[in-house]
Amino acid sequence: MKRNIRLFFILGMCSLALTSCAKKEVKEAEDTVDTTEQVALDDVEVEDYTVLKYNELEVLAYEGDTDAMVMLGRMLEYGADDVKQSFTEAISWYQMASDSGNIDGTCALGYFYLTGTGVDKNLEKATELFDAAIEGGAVNGYVGKARVLLAQRDAAEEENEAEALASDKKDTDSSEDKNDKEDNKDTKDTISDEDKAIYDLFYKAQIAGDVDGSYYLGYAYENGIGTVVDYKKAFDYYSRAAKSTSTDLADQYAKNKANVAIGLLYIKGNGVEEDSEQAISFFEAASTAGYAKGSYYLGQIYENGVGVDRDYEKAMEYYLLAADLDYAPALNQIGYMYYNGYGVDVDFASAVYYQKLAALQGYAIAQVNLGFLYENGYGVERNLETALSYYEMAADSGYEGAMEAVVRVKAQINEEM
């Protein structure tokens, strides 16, 4: 009996020991699982940042992931899903990425200084950033640097035109001046070194597989920048950009630009047979992707009946889509539709409202239209001083006919004094 008691006691102890061991093993297993999961989170390598949500990217970014910082910048720059567009926040993330040595962040910053979006326009700063990006291996930096050169060239041309108008020597040219102008006509079609440099940079980006590079090389061929105008080649390079399968938001933007450019080639019959149906399909591709210009041009097609029956209501639908993205030409056009009662009841107050939204963006046509509305008291109380200020804004940007309006309104003000 004592032996049996001893046996039960030993078995009981073993049972307790086994239970204790089992609990210890479970605890160790739990600890192991927790540790393994934590390590997996810390060491994970993200293959595609575009599939991550904003808050997931934030976690990675605050842990020092510069690619996540750039992706956050992209989402804020272009607006994505539930992410509201914010240039200020986008610049902040790009700056953080750039400061940490990410060349894509550096390149993205360059575009903000190039366009003056969210920061003061500074072409020297943009050039500095693009040069750094190129040195670091960012091929899109070539596009940025080329666009800086293009902006400088255009600014110089505008300045020369302004000086020519100010000099007012049209009827007093000396024979020597006339000879100089004739010489200029002979050399007008030659390719300048500056334009050739712009073309070469676009080409470098394109040959390296940059989607934006393909678009801008098409732009160079369409506009004869550094090469002769060749619409077929323009169509070819635009098509390469439009067919890109890249999911990068910046590349999506380039694709949308290319779709609109192709649509316009079909409208004009440049490099392809004129075909409004094809144009509509390319505009729709851009519009569906949320690109304002695609929606705007669809509005133009239906407003003017280009290859389709004129449909003001449908035109207004597309203009409103573009207006939701604050696209100034669409805002202006909506105001025009309300003023004329196209597809809507005549509503001068709404015309003024939409024209103001466009004018605030510096859109000269809207500024002239607002001047007209204030000059004549449509939708607002007649106010010649306000009309004059809007006309002067448009005139300062070089809008043709605005200066005539300035002179006319000044005369009216003097008469009524």
Side-chain angles (χ1 to χ4, degrees), residues 338-402:
Y338 272 114
Y339 176 81
N340 290 285
Y342 292 155
V344 291
D345 293 333
V346 171
D347 186 340
F348 293 145
S350 291
V352 171
Y353 172 75
Y354 282 102
Q355 299 289 358
K356 279 186 177 180
L357 291 177
L360 284 171
Q361 296 185 43
Y363 193 58
I365 297 174
Q367 291 167 347
V368 168
N369 289 339
L370 269 175
F372 176 81
L373 292 170
Y374 274 100
E375 181 183 355
N376 295 280
Y378 293 128
V380 289
E381 186 177 346
R382 186 171 182 265
N383 190 317
L384 292 179
E385 284 75 16
T386 302
L388 178 61
S389 67
Y390 280 116
Y391 285 140
E392 286 178 334
M393 288 180 199
D396 288 343
S397 65
Y399 186 75
E400 188 176 353

Side-chain angles (χ1 to χ4, degrees), residues 262-285:
I262 293 170
L264 291 172
L265 289 178
Y266 273 114
I267 288 291
K268 300 171 186 175
N270 290 338
V272 290
E273 286 189 21
E274 191 174 320
D275 189 332
S276 58
E277 287 187 12
Q278 284 281 13
I280 288 171
S281 69
F282 282 100
F283 291 147
E284 283 180 340

Side-chain angles (χ1 to χ4, degrees), residues 20-46:
S20 176
C21 288
K23 287 181 178 179
K24 186 176 181 181
E25 286 173 0
V26 170
K27 183 69 172 69
E28 288 177 352
E30 288 176 352
D31 291 341
T32 301
V33 169
D34 288 343
T35 304
T36 302
E37 288 178 350
Q38 186 61 49
V39 170
L41 285 171
D42 289 343
D43 295 344
V44 68
E45 291 185 8
V46 181

Side-chain angles (χ1 to χ4, degrees), residues 116-394:
T117 304
V119 292
D120 290 334
K121 187 173 182 178
N122 188 330
L123 296 183
E124 289 184 8
K125 177 69 173 177
T127 300
E128 177 187 326
L129 290 165
F130 289 133
D131 281 340
I134 292 169
E135 187 177 347
V139 295
N140 191 244
Y142 290 122
V143 174
K145 189 168 182 177
R147 288 183 59 188
V148 170
L149 293 176
L150 197 57
Q152 290 172 336
R153 187 202 70 167
D154 291 344
E157 287 181 356
E158 288 177 8
E159 187 177 342
N160 290 337
E161 288 176 4
E163 288 177 358
L165 288 171
S167 64
D168 195 24
K169 291 183 178 180
K170 291 181 180 179
D171 299 322
T172 59
D173 287 331
S174 67
S175 59
E176 185 178 348
D177 290 333
K178 289 180 180 178
N179 288 333
D180 287 341
K181 288 186 177 182
E182 291 300 322
D183 290 340
N184 288 336
K185 286 181 182 178
D186 293 336
T187 59
K188 187 177 179 180
D189 293 331
T190 61
I191 298 172
S192 68
D193 291 340
E194 185 180 41
D195 279 8
K196 188 66 171 64
I198 293 170
Y199 173 91
D200 288 343
L201 288 166
F202 287 149
Y203 181 78
K204 282 181 181 179
Q206 188 279 324
I207 208 70
D210 188 71
V211 179
D212 212 25
S214 294
Y215 167 78
Y216 273 103
L217 196 57
Y219 180 85
Y221 275 109
E222 183 180 4
N223 295 281
I225 301 171
T227 182
V228 295
V229 171
D230 189 327
Y231 294 124
K232 288 186 177 180
K233 284 188 176 180
F235 180 85
D236 175 45
Y237 286 110
Y238 285 146
S239 296
R240 295 186 194 192
K243 291 175 182 176
S244 170
T245 57
S246 172
T247 56
D248 186 282
L249 289 175
D251 290 341
Q252 290 292 317
Y253 188 70
K255 286 174 63 175
N256 289 332
K257 291 191 295 184
N259 277 321
V260 167
I262 293 170
L264 291 172
L265 289 178
Y266 273 114
I267 288 291
K268 300 171 186 175
N270 290 338
V272 290
E273 286 189 21
E274 191 174 320
D275 189 332
S276 58
E277 287 187 12
Q278 284 281 13
I280 288 171
S281 69
F282 282 100
F283 291 147
E284 283 180 340
S287 176
T288 301
Y291 188 56
K293 280 188 179 180
S295 300
Y296 171 75
Y297 280 115
L298 285 169
Q300 287 278 286
I301 281 176
Y302 284 104
E303 181 186 348
N304 297 290
V306 180
V308 295
D309 291 335
R310 181 171 285 170
D311 188 333
Y312 291 129
E313 290 184 3
K314 203 163 188 176
M316 180 64 91
E317 288 177 14
Y318 283 115
Y319 286 144
L320 286 170
L321 282 176
D324 285 342
L325 298 169
D326 292 326
Y327 189 55
L331 292 165
N332 171 75
Q333 210 62 22
I334 292 171
Y336 175 79
M337 301 275 277
Y338 272 114
Y339 176 81
N340 290 285
Y342 292 155
V344 291
D345 293 333
V346 171
D347 186 340
F348 293 145
S350 291
V352 171
Y353 172 75
Y354 282 102
Q355 299 289 358
K356 279 186 177 180
L357 291 177
L360 284 171
Q361 296 185 43
Y363 193 58
I365 297 174
Q367 291 167 347
V368 168
N369 289 339
L370 269 175
F372 176 81
L373 292 170
Y374 274 100
E375 181 183 355
N376 295 280
Y378 293 128
V380 289
E381 186 177 346
R382 186 171 182 265
N383 190 317
L384 292 179
E385 284 75 16
T386 302
L388 178 61
S389 67
Y390 280 116
Y391 285 140
E392 286 178 334
M393 288 180 199

